[in-house]
Amino acid sequence: MKTKNRHPKFPDPWLDRWLPLIKSRAAGSPVLEIGCGYGDDTVSLLNAGLQVMGFDLSFEAVAATRARAPSARIEQRDLRDSLPEEAINLGVILASLSLHYFAWEDTVSIVARIRLTLRSGGILLCRLNSTEDKNFGAGEGDEIESNYFLVKNKSKRFFDESSVQQLFADDWNVLSLEHITTDKYKKPKTAWEIVLERAL
């Protein structure tokens, strides 16, 4: 039986403009990729000469990323569990479209653990679902919490600017905050693209 190829069909070179900053802040240490998906960003980071360790909840995604990026250290892991033991005093963490599946309390806890994994001056690059992301479930399904919905049996959180700022209010310097649209999927996806620096 063939496995359905769920790899995005469209390029999404969003990391390109951030690579000089990523290289500078990584300073020889590996980049931790949270929610590696099917390896698009993993490959971009490796092609830029960076070391990568990452994880994803999906066995299928982990297998695909390992095949595409054999030099990266990729494992299957739930983000609500502990981060990899090797993830200590890092300069860069990447979380593209992977932090918005959780209840608010869990999301706050995850972001706090990410912050503690970075060294002072380390950066987090992330993208989060926007409340305007109508093509991918914003405002649909049963509302579990404010802007947190059960959409086709999957929980999804959607962020407005105020909730983004609230999530990163403590001990982060916001280097960039943009509301963007990506053509990564078959339909345009609206998201927040954020670069944050650990302040302390």
Side-chain angles (χ1 to χ4, degrees):
M1 185 175 81
K2 285 188 176 181
T3 302
K4 183 179 178 184
N5 182 6
R6 298 180 59 194
H7 185 267
K9 295 183 178 179
F10 305 102
D12 181 32
W14 76 283
L15 276 183
D16 289 358
R17 67 178 176 143
W18 299 117
L19 287 174
L21 177 64
I22 292 170
K23 289 180 179 181
S24 171
R25 298 300 174 97
S29 63
V31 174
L32 174 63
E33 186 179 5
I34 295 172
C36 61
Y38 290 80
D40 286 353
D41 292 338
T42 315
V43 170
S44 294
L45 293 167
L46 291 173
N47 287 344
L50 292 151
Q51 303 171 61
V52 183
M53 58 178 167
F55 62 90
D56 200 283
L57 181 61
S58 163
F59 174 82
E60 183 184 61
V62 167
T65 300
R66 284 175 174 168
R68 295 181 71 198
S71 65
R73 289 175 285 164
I74 305 297
E75 61 183 35
Q76 187 177 12
R77 181 181 291 267
D78 190 321
L79 179 52
R80 289 165 292 190
D81 298 333
S82 60
L83 294 173
E85 289 183 8
E86 304 87 353
I88 301 170
N89 202 33
L90 298 178
V92 181
I93 296 177
L94 175 66
S96 178
L97 305 175
S98 59
L99 298 181
H100 47 228
Y101 295 107
F102 313 104
W104 182 257
E105 183 177 348
D106 288 335
T107 307
V108 170
S109 176
I110 288 166
V111 167
R113 282 191 286 117
I114 287 171
R115 182 189 160 276
L116 291 175
T117 302
L118 290 166
R119 55 180 170 255
S120 181
I123 59 170
L124 166 65
L125 294 91
C126 66
R127 295 195 292 182
L128 303 169
N129 288 335
S130 165
T131 50
E132 297 180 26
D133 194 23
K134 303 301 182 185
N135 287 327
F136 293 91
E140 296 179 7
D142 296 326
E143 190 167 28
I144 305 166
E145 296 177 352
S146 178
N147 290 322
Y148 184 48
F149 297 88
L150 189 63
V151 181
K152 297 179 181 178
N153 295 317
K154 179 178 276 190
S155 54
K156 288 186 177 183
R157 178 171 297 284
F158 299 87
F159 290 79
D160 56 18
E161 186 169 1
S162 175
S163 57
V164 172
Q165 291 174 339
Q166 182 182 354
L167 183 61
F168 299 110
D170 295 330
D171 301 321
W172 292 98
N173 297 324
V174 179
L175 303 183
S176 178
L177 171 60
E178 296 180 53
H179 197 242
I180 59 97
T181 299
T182 174
D183 294 321
K184 179 178 177 70
Y185 305 108
K186 289 182 179 179
K187 297 178 181 178
K189 178 174 183 59
T190 309
W192 294 97
E193 185 172 311
I194 314 145
V195 181
L196 304 122
E197 176 185 64
R198 177 176 172 171
L200 299 172

